[in-house]
């Protein structure tokens, strides 16, 4: 390969050569494509390379079967080894399965003034794939999750639509209908049913084909007056699809066209409101955005579809038609304005500055001045009216909630009965909130402590839940005593169908210490935090932003934990011996040399290259011990390999189902497919809090509420590991943005750290102990999480009894010392390499005493114990 690049024509007189070999494969169902993760301008493009530096100011042109394509994208990307990338927009143009098109490219000019030779290439769309009977049970779970993750936010009687309705679809979302996020949350399904395919093949509706063809323009353009008139003659209903791409590597912004409507979107919506009797808006988006337009333009129906996975289009059709009654609830508060959100002041918003990617060589501080007031905790406590509250979602039927008496005997117990009082069958979600006393510290107006989803209830049918809420859910974290404490006083209980639930009872309690812990991960300087007692405490963001320093604070103030490994080497043991008798795991490790230990504790590189299958990495099999293959893969919503498999909805859409049992089924399905593909560990679920909606990984994670996020993660892990596939909860902790994430320090107060950011992991481990945990890229309070002994040894192992293995996020060693990570207890350094680049610092660290041999052996033993459980 190196010889090939060395021999490319790059002389001053050479014409720029477009590197294309054979036909160009294009998947019309992959709406954004692989390069979107690196640069959003490449969304929907087939990407080719030029061998010479190009002049982006001289526009070339491209046609597909003689049809002029929109403007191409020409940029130099750092990952392209000096080559220039040419993005050719094919979305909406190359859209017929199995069809070959002729692509003509001409006019692009290099920086030496040489124009390329006109070039003709063949674009081949991927073949149509239909369902296979053996995967029907798996895909039934994917469809159910997609349906139940759809949230009906507004409905003035427009929905469900009548059978035979002609759908006038408007907006670039017609061809940009997204089914998943990009990056680690990406799916590679066997097939995909987008909205257009679902309407054509399995719905009670028909399409206005003229509008479908018009929106190949890939813009939110307003059709001409005659086209609008023809549309109105077919139906008086206009359906606008608003879409937003989202995913790993890049954060979103508060710019128009991202959090807010673009000028084109607003103009189109206004035109539709003026022209049509009824208007529906579908939000095919990965994060909460401004929805005040629904009120401004009197939208008749507003539906949040999220990213619904491989069967997203079918699910949406089913809800629109009434074949499925919507039962989704919002896992986040949708603010009336971005700047109503306290965390908005301490988030790098690129609306008026450069958009920084995840690997940018820039250091930032992100100060969590909002403290405990994230999401509904803020809006409810401070009386700020959101556009739509946490837990909200409408139905095509009505429900009544009846509560029994509230009892507390060390555990809060109450019965809740749900009755379908409407005319069609449906499901409802019950949510219980508690207002804790302010005896020790101020508390939010209410906090979620329990939720459940009913079965499908026929009209007149009821279901009763016996809610039991343990004392830990009723505590606050007392900074003074480093304990989880139930404050003395009266506790108010609320039960209903969203965060505005009415009060249903109360109880009193004496002060009770529920769990004594140790103070961990304290900030060198605690942030000033938002409080109800100080009107001037609303975050200002003055301490956050880009910093000149290139290192985080010294680690000297972090506590050290003992490393004990008293097993001695005996007879030669192989992996087969340990598999037969797991008690021999430590003896197996004791016989290994430092070099062999280091080799086990460093991943053997990733398989993301052209020659790989897309695995994130695998265990290095040291010679002579019979270690098994142990590849790992990303997979929040599927098995993220280059091999087609299941495609579940993204995390936030799964969370909108508000159904722990369904989440368990989702984990089980992904685990079964991973098993079939020979992948024994999936790097999922991602469960960081939705602190700010602009986080690029918002769709990958679950919710703004820590109890909800942890509950769903625990059930997901249980489902996955029931199949013999290991799970990995991530990212521990504070990985709440993508902007320069390896150099971004989260500065979090002790109470917020405990009650919000550590809490999902504690809750998840209390429901089901996962096989592994991944630390985050960022630092928290002066120390990179990957090298934080208090986090790994204190919180995970000592406090929560975690006995699995801890791994770094991929390439954390770009900014964190390898020896420091190993000494802290990070067992697996990823993605590593097959040479000694990352093992050498470990060997040298043991020799120098910066890594205790006992700690290195402990780390390796955790890996071996996990291996014998899953391979």
């Amino acid at each position: 390969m190196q010889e090939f690049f060395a021999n490319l024509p790059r002389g001053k007189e050479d014409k720029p050569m477009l590197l294309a070999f054979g036909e160009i494969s294009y998947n019309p169902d992959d709406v954004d494509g692989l390069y979107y993760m690196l640069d959003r301008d490449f969304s929907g493009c087939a990407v080719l390379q030029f061998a010479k530096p190009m002049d982006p100011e001289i526009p070339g042109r491209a046609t597909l079967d003689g049809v002029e394509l929109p403007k191409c994208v020409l940029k130099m990307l750092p990952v392209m080894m000096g080559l220039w990338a040419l993005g050719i927009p094919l979305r909406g143009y190359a859209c017929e399965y199995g069809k070959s098109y002729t692509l003509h490219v001409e006019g692009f000019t290099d920086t030496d003034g040489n124009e390329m030779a006109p070039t003709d290439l063949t674009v081949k769309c991927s073949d149509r794939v239909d369902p296979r009977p053996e995967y029907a049970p798996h895909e039934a779970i994917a469809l159910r999750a997609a349906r139940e993750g759809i949230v009906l936010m507004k409905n003035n009687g427009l929905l469900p639509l009548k059978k035979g309705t002609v759908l006038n679809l408007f907006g670039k979302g017609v061809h940009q209908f997204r089914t998943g996020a990009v990056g680690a949350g990406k799916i590679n399904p066997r097939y995909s049913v987008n909205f257009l395919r679902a309407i054509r093949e399995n719905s009670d509706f028909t399409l206005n084909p003229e509008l479908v063809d018009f929106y190949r323009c890939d813009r939110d353009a307003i059709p001409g007056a005659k086209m609008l008139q023809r549309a109105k003659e077919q139906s008086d209903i206009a359906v606008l699809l608003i879409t937003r791409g989202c995913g790993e590597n890049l954060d979103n912004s508060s710019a128009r066209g991202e959090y807010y409507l673009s000028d084109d979107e607003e103009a189109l919506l206004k035109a539709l409101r003026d022209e049509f009797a009824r208007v529906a808006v579908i939000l095919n988006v990965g994060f909460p955005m401004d929805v005040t337009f629904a009120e401004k333009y009197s939208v008749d129906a507003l539906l949040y579809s999220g990213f619904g996975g491989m069967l997203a289009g079918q699910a949406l059709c089913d809800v629109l038609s009434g074949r499925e009654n919507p039962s989704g609830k919002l896992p986040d508060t949708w603010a009336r304005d971005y700047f109503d959100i306290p965390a908005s002041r301490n988030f790098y918003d690129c609306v008026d500055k450069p958009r920084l990617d995840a690997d940018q060589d820039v250091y930032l501080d992100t100060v969590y001045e909002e403290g405990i007031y994230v999401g509904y905790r803020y809006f409810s406590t401070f009386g700020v009216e959101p556009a739509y509250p946490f837990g909200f979602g409408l139905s095509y039927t009505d429900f009544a909630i009846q509560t029994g008496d509230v009892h507390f005997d060390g555990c809060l117990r109450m019965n809740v009965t749900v009755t379908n009082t409407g005319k069609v069958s449906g499901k409802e979600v019950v949510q219980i909130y508690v207002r804790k006393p302010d005896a020790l510290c101020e508390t939010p107006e209410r906090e979620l402590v329990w939720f459940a989803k009913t079965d499908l209830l026929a009209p007149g049918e009821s279901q009763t839940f016996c809610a039991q809420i343990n004392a830990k859910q009723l505590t606050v974290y007392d900074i003074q005593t480093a304990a989880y404490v139930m404050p003395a006083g009266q506790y108010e209980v609320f039960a209903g169908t969203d965060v505005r639930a009415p009060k249903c009872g109360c109880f009193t309690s004496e002060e009770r210490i529920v769990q004594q812990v140790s103070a961990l991960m304290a900030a060198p300087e605690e942030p000033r935090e938002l409080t109800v007692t100080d009107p001037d405490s609303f975050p200002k963001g003055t301490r956050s932003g880009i910093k000149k320093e290139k290192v985080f604070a010294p680690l000297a103030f972090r506590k050290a934990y003992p490393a004990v490994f008293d097993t001695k080497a005996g007879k030669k043991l192989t992996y087969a011996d340990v598999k037969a008798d797991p008690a021999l795991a430590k003896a197996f490790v004791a016989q290994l040399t430092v070099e062999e230990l280091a080799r086990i504790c460093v991943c053997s590189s990733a398989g993301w290259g052209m020659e790989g299958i897309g695995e994130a990495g695998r265990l290095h099999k040291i010679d002579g011990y019979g270690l098994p293959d142990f590849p790992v893969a990303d997979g929040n919503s599927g098995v993220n390999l280059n091999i087609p498999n299941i495609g579940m909805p993204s995390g936030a859409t799964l969370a909108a189902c508000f159904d722990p049992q369904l989440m368990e089924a989702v984990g089980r399905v992904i685990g079964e497919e991973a098993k079939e593909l020979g992948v024994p560990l999936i790097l999922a679920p991602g469960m960081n809090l939705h602190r700010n909606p602009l986080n690029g990984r918002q769709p990958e994670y679950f919710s703004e509420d820590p109890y909800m996020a942890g509950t769903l993660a625990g059930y997901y892990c249980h489902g996955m590991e029931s199949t013999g596939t290991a799970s990995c909860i991530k990212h521990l902790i504070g990985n709440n943005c993508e902007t320069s994430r390896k150099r971004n320090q989260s500065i979090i107060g002790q109470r917020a750290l405990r009650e919000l950011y550590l809490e999902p992991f504690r809750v998840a481990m209390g429901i089901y102990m996962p096989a592994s945990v991944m630390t985050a890229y960022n630092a928290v309070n002066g120390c990179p999480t990957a090298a934080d002994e208090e986090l790994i040894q204190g919180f995970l192992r000592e406090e929560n009894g975690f006995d699995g293995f801890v791994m770094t996020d991929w390439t954390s060693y770009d900014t964190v010392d390898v020896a420091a990570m190993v000494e802290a207890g990070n067992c697996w350094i990823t993605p590593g390499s097959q040479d000694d680049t990352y093992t050498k610092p470990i060997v040298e660290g043991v020799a120098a005493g910066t890594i205790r041999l006992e700690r290195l052996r402990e780390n390796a033993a955790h890996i071996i114990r996990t291996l014998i459980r899953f391979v």
Side-chain angles (χ1 to χ4, degrees):
M1 185 65 72
Q2 289 181 341
E3 183 179 351
F4 168 79
F5 284 111
N7 293 326
L8 289 174
R10 290 177 167 174
K12 190 172 182 60
E13 305 301 323
D14 291 323
K15 289 179 177 291
M17 177 181 174
L18 190 61
L19 304 181
F21 310 99
E23 66 184 17
I24 302 168
S25 297
Y26 182 74
N27 180 2
D29 292 326
D30 189 359
V31 171
D32 287 307
L34 290 173
Y35 286 83
Y36 177 86
M37 180 177 167
L38 302 175
D39 191 308
R40 295 189 173 188
D41 288 344
F42 287 101
S43 177
C45 291
V47 179
L48 306 175
Q49 294 86 38
F50 279 112
K52 292 184 67 180
M54 303 299 292
D55 188 343
E57 300 301 318
I58 301 177
R61 62 187 294 267
T63 61
L64 193 73
D65 281 358
V67 176
E68 186 89 20
L69 294 173
K71 184 180 178 181
C72 296
V73 181
L74 187 59
K75 288 187 176 183
M76 202 286 283
L77 296 176
V79 298
M80 302 293 286
M81 296 180 292
L83 301 178
W84 277 66
L86 177 66
I88 300 171
L90 296 179
R91 180 173 52 212
Y93 291 87
C95 51
E96 292 186 39
Y97 294 120
K99 182 176 179 179
S100 293
Y101 301 81
T102 298
L103 175 67
H104 179 79
V105 184
E106 64 178 29
F108 293 98
T109 303
D110 64 29
T111 53
D112 294 317
N114 303 301
E115 185 177 318
M116 69 175 290
T119 302
D120 287 321
L121 302 164
T122 298
V123 173
K124 172 69 165 28
C125 276
S126 54
D127 293 330
R128 177 190 171 95
V129 177
D130 289 316
R132 291 163 53 183
E134 64 267 34
Y135 291 113
H138 285 185
E139 290 164 11
I141 297 297
L143 179 58
R144 179 184 163 195
R147 286 168 168 168
E148 296 193 24
I150 292 173
V151 183
L152 181 60
M153 300 170 75
K154 182 179 181 181
N155 187 25
N156 290 337
L158 174 57
L159 300 180
L161 298 175
K162 293 180 180 178
K163 185 176 181 179
T165 298
V166 177
L167 293 180
N168 292 315
L169 302 183
F170 293 85
K172 64 185 180 185
V174 172
H175 292 285
Q176 285 190 28
F177 186 78
R178 291 177 166 88
T179 59
V182 298
K186 185 177 175 62
I187 57 174
N188 183 18
R190 286 178 282 275
Y191 66 95
S192 187
V193 179
N194 63 22
F195 194 33
L196 292 179
R197 179 173 172 179
I199 296 168
R200 289 170 175 143
E201 298 179 4
N202 190 24
S203 80
D204 298 325
F205 312 126
T206 56
L207 283 166
N208 178 336
E210 186 177 26
L211 288 173
V212 172
D213 187 63
F214 174 79
Y215 281 105
R216 294 197 310 171
C217 66
D218 218 32
R219 295 183 295 109
D220 290 300
I222 302 173
K226 292 183 178 180
M227 190 181 298
L228 287 174
Q229 182 58 40
R230 289 191 292 270
K232 286 191 292 182
E233 290 170 359
Q234 296 184 65
S235 171
D236 67 352
I237 301 170
V239 179
L240 172 62
L241 283 95
I242 294 175
T243 188
R244 298 285 188 272
C246 199
E248 187 174 7
N249 199 58
L250 295 168
D251 285 323
N252 303 299
S253 82
S254 64
R256 294 182 69 83
E258 293 188 46
Y259 184 83
Y260 298 99
L261 291 187
S262 69
D263 292 339
D264 286 347
E265 286 171 328
E266 183 129 14
L268 175 57
L269 179 56
K270 183 178 184 304
L272 297 180
R273 181 71 284 172
D274 291 342
E275 293 285 342
F276 287 84
R278 296 180 289 175
V279 177
V281 176
I282 295 170
L283 299 171
N284 174 223
V285 299
F287 57 96
M289 57 173 287
D290 174 37
V291 286
T292 54
F293 62 80
E295 180 181 332
K296 180 178 179 180
Y297 295 104
S298 301
V299 166
D300 296 286
L302 183 65
L303 202 67
Y304 165 56
S305 72
F307 293 162
M310 64 186 291
L311 296 170
Q314 185 60 58
L316 182 55
C317 279
D318 292 344
V319 168
L320 289 174
S321 68
R323 191 184 306 176
E324 178 76 13
N325 193 343
S327 61
K329 304 286 184 177
L330 296 177
D332 299 294
T333 305
W334 288 50
R336 295 188 67 85
D337 187 86
Y338 172 69
F339 297 100
D340 286 348
I341 301 168
S344 64
R345 304 305 196 275
N346 289 279
F347 188 92
Y348 184 89
D349 183 1
C350 66
V351 69
D352 55 357
K353 43 188 178 286
R355 194 188 299 271
L356 304 177
D357 66 30
D359 287 314
Q360 211 81 30
D361 190 16
V362 173
Y363 283 78
L364 299 96
D365 279 350
T366 301
V367 183
Y368 289 42
E369 287 186 282
E370 70 280 359
I372 60 171
Y373 293 114
V374 170
Y376 72 83
R377 283 166 165 77
Y378 167 72
F379 286 88
S380 297
T381 306
F382 287 79
V384 178
E385 187 69 22
Y388 291 98
F390 175 88
F392 177 81
L394 300 174
S395 171
Y396 296 152
T397 190
D398 298 304
F399 295 93
I401 307 292
Q402 184 176 8
T403 58
D405 293 337
V406 171
H407 300 282
F408 179 75
D409 56 3
C411 177
L412 172 59
R413 306 173 197 274
M414 59 184 291
N415 290 342
V416 183
T417 300
V418 183
T419 303
N420 184 345
T421 60
K423 298 179 179 179
V424 296
S425 297
K427 296 182 179 183
E428 182 58 286
V429 174
V430 179
Q431 302 163 42
I432 298 178
Y433 298 82
V434 166
R435 167 78 162 92
K436 303 166 187 174
D438 286 337
L440 284 174
C441 51
E442 70 179 64
T443 59
E445 197 275 335
R446 59 186 63 190
E447 298 172 63
L448 181 70
V449 293
W450 189 88
F451 64 95
K453 193 166 198 172
T454 68
D455 300 330
L456 185 68
L457 301 180
E461 188 176 4
S462 298
Q463 183 174 352
T464 298
F465 295 98
C466 301
Q468 298 187 46
I469 298 149
N470 65 51
K472 182 61 193 298
Q473 291 306 117
L474 305 173
T475 62
V476 299
Y477 179 72
D478 181 27
I479 298 172
Q480 303 304 317
T481 61
Y484 289 94
V485 181
M486 281 188 67
Q490 180 172 280
Y491 292 71
E492 297 177 88
V493 183
F494 309 83
T497 58
D498 63 47
V499 73
R500 302 167 302 179
K503 183 177 175 179
C504 63
C506 60
F507 67 93
T508 59
S509 174
E510 299 298 319
E511 182 176 304
R512 299 178 59 199
I513 296 178
V514 176
Q515 184 182 7
Q516 182 66 58
V517 294
S518 300
L520 299 173
M521 306 172 65
E525 180 187 351
E526 287 278 302
R528 182 187 183 217
E529 294 179 327
L530 178 60
T531 171
V532 293
T533 61
D534 182 1
D536 191 44
S537 65
F538 193 86
K540 298 177 175 57
T542 54
R543 284 182 60 193
S544 294
I546 294 175
K547 302 296 176 183
K548 295 180 180 178
E549 307 93 271
K550 295 299 181 185
V551 294
F552 300 119
L555 308 185
F557 57 88
R558 287 290 197 254
K559 176 182 174 183
Y561 289 76
V564 179
F565 195 96
D566 52 12
T567 302
K568 306 297 181 184
K571 68 174 185 176
K572 173 72 178 287
L573 296 172
T574 66
Y575 179 75
D577 297 323
V578 185
K579 183 72 174 174
D581 183 1
L584 295 174
K586 293 183 76 171
F588 177 87
V589 167
Q591 71 186 334
L592 303 180
T593 66
V594 172
E595 288 76 10
E596 288 170 334
L597 290 167
R599 189 61 271 179
I600 283 177
C601 291
V602 173
C603 180
S604 187
S605 77
W608 292 324
M610 296 296 290
E611 74 288 349
I613 62 168
E615 68 189 44
R618 62 175 55 223
L619 180 79
H620 190 105
K621 297 195 293 184
I622 55 177
D623 294 335
Y625 296 97
L627 290 172
D629 282 331
F630 192 77
V632 305
D634 283 317
N636 295 285
S637 301
V639 186
N640 202 342
L641 297 178
N642 301 331
I643 305 169
N645 61 91
I646 194 70
M648 292 289 179
S650 292
T653 305
L654 290 172
C657 299
F658 267 72
D659 190 336
Q661 286 69 41
L662 178 56
M663 185 66 76
E664 185 170 3
V666 167
R668 176 181 54 76
V669 168
I670 296 173
E672 287 174 353
E673 300 231 354
K675 193 100 173 160
E676 180 181 315
L677 294 168
V679 179
L681 189 150
I682 295 294
L683 305 173
M687 49 188 288
N688 292 91
L689 279 196
H690 289 167
R691 172 181 177 258
N692 186 299
L694 302 186
N695 182 4
R697 298 184 86 161
Q698 173 91 11
E700 200 175 326
Y701 302 147
F702 293 137
S703 172
E704 70 185 27
D705 182 77
Y707 169 72
M708 181 182 184
T711 299
L712 297 178
Y715 278 89
Y716 178 106
C717 291
H718 183 263
M720 179 170 286
E721 295 201 3
S722 71
T723 71
T725 299
S727 62
C728 175
I729 55 177
K730 63 182 188 182
H731 307 89
L732 190 70
I733 60 167
N735 188 171
N736 300 307
C737 67
E738 290 298 282
T739 297
S740 195
R741 61 190 176 187
K742 295 178 187 176
R743 299 166 179 84
N744 201 321
Q745 176 178 210
S746 299
I747 300 174
I748 311 174
Q750 279 290 288
R751 190 168 165 217
L753 187 74
R754 284 287 188 173
E755 294 188 14
L756 296 186
Y757 300 101
L758 290 172
E759 184 68 357
F761 294 89
R762 183 201 66 79
V763 170
M765 288 186 286
I767 292 170
Y768 183 82
M769 193 64 72
S772 59
V773 174
M774 183 189 293
T775 53
Y777 283 121
N778 54 286
V780 172
N781 294 342
C783 182
T785 63
D788 196 325
E789 197 166 357
E790 290 185 4
L791 177 63
I792 297 170
Q793 302 298 332
F795 174 74
L796 279 181
R797 301 210 185 279
E798 184 177 275
E799 226 175 85
N800 288 283
F802 176 70
D803 194 41
F805 81 98
V806 182
M807 67 181 77
T808 71
D809 205 340
W810 265 236
T811 68
S812 289
Y813 43 65
D814 286 351
T815 52
V816 188
D817 179 66
V818 169
M821 292 190 285
V822 172
E823 172 59 20
N826 226 314
C827 308
W828 210 34
I829 308 301
T830 63
S833 63
Q834 296 183 24
D835 59 21
D836 69 352
T837 301
Y838 304 104
T839 58
K840 186 177 179 181
I842 298 175
V843 174
E844 291 176 344
V846 172
T850 55
I851 299 174
R852 287 169 285 180
L853 179 58
E854 293 83 2
R855 177 57 51 76
L856 180 60
R857 284 173 168 165
E858 280 182 358
N859 293 351
H862 286 303
I863 294 174
I864 296 300
R865 281 194 289 267
T866 303
L867 286 183
I868 61 179
R869 288 179 58 199
F870 295 100
V871 287

